Amino acid sequence: MRYAILLIAGTCLGIAACSFAAKPSGDTAMERPASSVASCSDREDTVPALLPPCPSSPKCVSSIAGCAPEGRTVPAFVGDVPGVIPEALTDAVLQLPGCTIETRTPARVHALCRSRVFGFIDDLDLAAEQDSTLVHVRSSARLGWWDFGVNRARVERLHALYGQRVQR
């Protein structure tokens, strides 16, 4: 029992040490500009709380330029009808491992994604712009400083699943 506790404590300390030493990744193919949408602060008057901004820690990605620190933006989705999240995108969210939809309206989806090993909960939000077919995404860890790239990988997987459904 004592060895199990020491092993768990050592693992947690190792993860914490890595998270403080980590820096956001450099240029990758997925780190292209998200969209032509203005920054969060510029949009507060016209689109209040479309998606909350990412924290300063590297545990969040967002498709709204200015809502995530540089290097942590991801591409937005394109739907069919302005102001509505496509059914195929909602279905793709349900295909993500450990994700369940908590709230859903025509223009917003909030899902909780639970990690396999430790059961950490991450938030996945989709929000459709009312005046265009863009659907923005934000994925963020609730706990910790760094997400080990899990949220970027989740959004990339969501893009792949959505692309498969749209091509059908």
Side-chain angles (χ1 to χ4, degrees), residues 6 10 33 54-55 57 68 77 129 135:
L6 289 174
C54 284
S57 59
F77 295 90
E129 283 194 11
V135 177

Side-chain angles (χ1 to χ4, degrees), residues 113-122 143:
C113 301
R114 187 176 297 271
S115 68
R116 289 182 205 168
V117 178
F118 291 110
F120 296 130
I121 296 175
D122 294 347
L143 300 174

